[in-house]
């Protein structure tokens, strides 16, 4: 490609993105004026339309799955992108959950009469336009659009090429629901081009876009953090740990650990590393490994854990810094024997992504100590890490799981898509 051709192509990308941004910004002003009743009616219309177009949606998704298999995508990736009747019904059901939630827009707080004569109020308002970059999860298209519309935000979506056919149909159905109610279809826009230049351009569209949310692996997160001129919410990478304390009920612990690892291993809240107190390790490590192996799990184990697993009849790889730093997204589990609870906390601080950690214990002091010392977005006592999810938290759905500390942390739902403005009332008041 000549320099002139490259320049023309870049001009086309810029024109395309500016058009997207202008439509989204114009739509956001209209959405911000809608009442809670109007927004809920819109979501009901979207829910009904998705149900009516279920056959078309599943057919489009089937094309994505066929293409994914032909392109050699992993079983984990294919599981993430696949829709069936049950999963689609669950996505639609989550819309009803969002409808039932209170509208966070317009809430007022910090109302006070100041000494200078002003009456000051803080009111929650939409962010405006949210750009979301995500990978092979077609349910994210619906979740984000619904949460954005519930909070009066416009959204620009850039899904992965692996789910392009699914996302096209889903976005078309949602945009059709908007136009059927005389609302701007620019409120929900999908970038359906795989061009990387469009992602880079979107990250610099700060005249129109108010926040960027990347949902994907480390490479995508770093790209957005380093190139964006728009505020970025980072997260979604889950290197999750579970400690089996010396006081845990070991018979009950097995099912919780299996749930955390096996129920759906391809998601960010699945368990990656099991930490076992050395006081119970010689007995418990072989039992839990044998059980998980029967469920198809493979292992990376520290030296001590490997010693306990000898003679069980299955291969165990040696764990190292790289394996402990890996988000598996598959039926693979790291196992490490720790000296005590402080050893577990030290390991978590070194390797955790700040997503979800858990302790199984019947010692209330150990539980309290663990919760206070572990600084992740979600910390559990006697529960699976699989609960870190907007729906499971009663938030209706989620845009992402944030592992940072500014603006939003943990599952991001309605409140995370709002900001606030100050309203000041005076009586022709001048500052003295």
């Amino acid at each position: 490609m000549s320099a002139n051709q490259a320049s023309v192509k870049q001009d086309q990308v810029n024109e395309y993105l500016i058009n997207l941004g202008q439509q989204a910004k114009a739509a956001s002003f209209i959405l911000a004026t809608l009442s809670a009743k109007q927004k809920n009616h819109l979501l009901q219309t979207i829910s009904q339309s998705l149900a009516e177009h279920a056959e078309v949606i599943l057919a489009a998704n089937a094309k994505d799955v066929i293409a994914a298999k032909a392109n050699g995508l992993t079983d984990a990736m294919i599981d993430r992108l696949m829709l069936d009747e049950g999963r689609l019904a669950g996505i639609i059901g989550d819309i009803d959950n969002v409808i039932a939630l209170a509208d966070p827009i317009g809430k007022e707080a910090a109302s006070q009469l100041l000494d200078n004569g002003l009456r000051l109020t803080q009111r929650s308002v939409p962010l405006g336009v949210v750009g979301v970059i995500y990978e092979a999860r077609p349910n994210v298209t619906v979740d984000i659009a619904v949460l954005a519309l519930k909070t009066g935000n416009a959204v620009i979506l850039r899904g992965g090429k692996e789910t392009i056919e699914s996302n096209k149909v889903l976005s078309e159905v949602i945009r059709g629901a908007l136009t059927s109610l005389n609302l701007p279809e620019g409120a929900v826009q999908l970038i359906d081009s795989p061009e990387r230049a469009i992602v880079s351009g979107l990250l610099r569209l700060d005249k129109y876009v108010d926040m960027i949310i990347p949902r994907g692996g480390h490479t995508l997160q770093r790209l957005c953090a380093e190139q964006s001129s728009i505020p970025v919410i980072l997260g979604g990478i889950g290197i999750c740990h579970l400690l089996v304390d010396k006081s845990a009920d070991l018979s009950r612990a097995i099912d919780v650990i299996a749930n955390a690892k096996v129920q759906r291993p391809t998601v960010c809240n699945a368990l990656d590393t099991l930490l076992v107190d050395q006081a119970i390790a010689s007995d418990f490590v072989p039992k839990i490994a044998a059980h998980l192996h029967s469920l198809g799990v493979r292992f990376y184990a520290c030296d001590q854990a490997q010693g306990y697993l000898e003679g069980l009849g299955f291969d165990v790889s040696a764990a190292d810094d790289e394996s402990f730093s890996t988000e598996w997204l598959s039926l693979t589990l790291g196992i490490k024997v720790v000296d005590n609870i402080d050893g577990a906390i030290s390991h978590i601080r070194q390797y955790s992504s700040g997503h979800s950690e858990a302790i199984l214990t019947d010692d209330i002091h150990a539980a309290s100590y663990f919760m206070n010392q572990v600084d992740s977005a979600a910390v559990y006592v006697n529960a699976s890490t699989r609960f870190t999810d907007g729906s499971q938290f009663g938030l209706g759905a989620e845009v992402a799981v944030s592992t940072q500390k500014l603006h939003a942390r943990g599952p991001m739902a309605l409140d995370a898509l709002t900001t606030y403005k100050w309203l000041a009332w005076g009586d022709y008041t001048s500052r003295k």
Side-chain angles (χ1 to χ4, degrees):
M1 182 184 296
S2 68
N4 185 57
Q5 289 174 318
S7 177
V8 170
K9 184 174 182 180
Q10 186 59 53
D11 288 343
Q12 292 173 337
V13 168
N14 292 341
E15 182 180 357
Y16 169 71
L17 287 169
I18 289 171
N19 183 56
L20 282 183
Q22 289 175 337
Q23 290 189 55
K25 182 62 75 174
S28 73
F29 294 137
I30 296 173
L31 295 174
T33 67
L34 298 180
S35 67
K37 183 177 181 180
Q38 288 173 308
K39 288 183 287 188
N40 284 339
H41 180 51
L42 169 60
L43 299 193
Q44 289 168 345
T45 303
I46 291 172
S47 176
Q48 293 168 1
S49 189
L50 288 171
E52 291 168 0
H53 290 84
E55 187 173 334
V56 178
I57 294 168
L58 294 177
N61 183 255
K63 293 180 182 178
D64 287 328
V65 172
I66 291 171
K69 292 178 178 178
N71 291 328
L73 268 65
T74 65
D75 290 342
M77 185 65 78
I78 292 171
D79 178 69
R80 289 166 76 90
L81 68 84
M82 185 184 70
L83 291 177
D84 55 25
E85 290 184 4
R87 287 186 179 181
L88 182 58
I91 293 169
I92 296 171
D94 280 341
I95 299 177
D96 293 332
N97 296 334
V98 175
I99 291 171
L101 296 173
D103 188 344
I105 300 301
K107 292 191 297 186
E108 295 189 351
S111 181
Q112 55 185 314
L113 180 62
L114 305 178
D115 292 341
N116 58 23
L118 293 179
R119 178 166 293 281
L120 196 62
T121 300
Q122 188 186 73
R123 179 182 295 172
S124 62
V125 295
L127 287 170
V129 178
V130 180
V132 185
I133 305 169
Y134 54 107
E135 296 176 345
R137 297 284 294 277
N139 63 294
V140 174
T141 302
V142 179
D143 289 348
I144 292 171
V146 166
L147 290 171
L149 294 172
K150 174 81 173 188
T151 48
N153 291 288
V155 67
I156 297 175
L157 304 169
R158 203 280 190 177
K161 62 183 179 181
E162 303 87 358
T163 51
I164 188 64
E165 298 299 330
S166 306
N167 289 340
K168 281 181 180 179
V169 174
L170 290 169
S171 63
E172 287 169 3
V173 171
I174 293 169
R175 285 161 65 87
L178 283 160
T179 56
S180 73
L181 298 179
N182 296 316
L183 293 171
E185 63 179 6
V188 176
Q189 297 180 85
L190 174 73
I191 296 174
D192 59 10
S193 169
E195 290 281 344
R196 288 182 177 269
I198 292 181
V199 173
S200 297
L202 175 62
L203 296 177
R204 295 188 293 272
L205 206 63
D206 51 87
K207 184 176 180 180
Y208 305 106
V209 179
D210 299 285
M211 178 179 286
I212 293 289
I213 303 175
R215 287 189 58 158
H218 179 75
T219 301
L220 174 61
Q221 301 280 328
R222 295 320 308 164
L223 173 73
C224 293
E226 293 167 5
Q227 294 192 10
S228 181
S229 60
I230 305 165
V232 177
I233 294 288
L234 298 177
I237 300 172
I239 301 176
C240 303
H241 301 79
L242 186 151
L243 167 63
V244 184
D245 182 55
K246 61 186 178 182
S247 71
D249 183 333
L250 301 184
S251 62
R252 300 178 70 192
I254 289 176
D255 286 342
V256 176
I257 295 166
N259 176 265
K261 180 68 260 181
V262 176
Q263 189 210 31
R264 195 170 182 191
T266 60
V267 292
C268 60
N269 57 21
L271 181 63
D272 294 290
T273 300
L274 180 68
L275 305 172
V276 182
D277 191 299
Q278 66 174 358
I280 50 128
S282 61
D283 176 54
F284 186 71
V285 168
K287 286 182 180 178
I288 187 61
H291 180 72
L292 293 176
H293 178 261
S294 71
L295 300 175
V297 178
R298 302 174 296 276
F299 304 99
Y300 282 78
C302 69
D303 291 343
Q304 192 171 348
Q306 285 187 79
Y308 296 142
L309 297 176
E310 289 180 357
L312 293 185
F314 51 84
D315 293 332
V316 179
S317 301
D320 54 19
D321 283 344
E322 182 179 356
S323 63
F324 284 136
S325 301
T326 299
E327 181 188 26
W328 293 115
L329 300 175
S330 66
L331 286 173
T332 305
L333 180 68
I335 302 178
K336 180 177 176 62
V337 176
V338 294
D339 293 340
N340 48 39
I341 192 170
D342 286 313
I345 292 167
S346 177
H347 180 95
I348 290 169
R349 287 175 178 173
Q350 181 174 354
Y351 295 104
S352 173
S353 63
H355 193 292
S356 302
E357 327 296 345
I359 182 173
L360 300 181
T361 183
D362 285 347
D363 182 340
I364 188 63
H365 300 292
S368 179
Y369 184 72
F370 185 86
M371 295 190 88
N372 290 334
Q373 293 293 318
V374 172
D375 186 25
S376 291
V379 184
Y380 298 90
V381 173
N382 295 336
S384 168
T385 57
R386 286 282 291 114
F387 286 102
T388 309
D389 173 87
S391 179
Q392 292 293 315
F393 275 23
L395 303 177
E398 69 184 34
V399 179
V401 176
S402 170
T403 54
Q404 63 186 41
K405 297 184 180 180
L406 288 179
H407 183 72
R409 200 175 192 204
M412 292 177 58
L414 297 179
D415 286 339
L417 295 179
T418 70
T419 184
Y420 61 83
K421 63 182 176 184
W422 293 98
L423 305 176
W425 295 83
D427 184 17
Y428 297 87
T429 305
S430 298
R431 180 172 175 173
K432 295 178 181 179

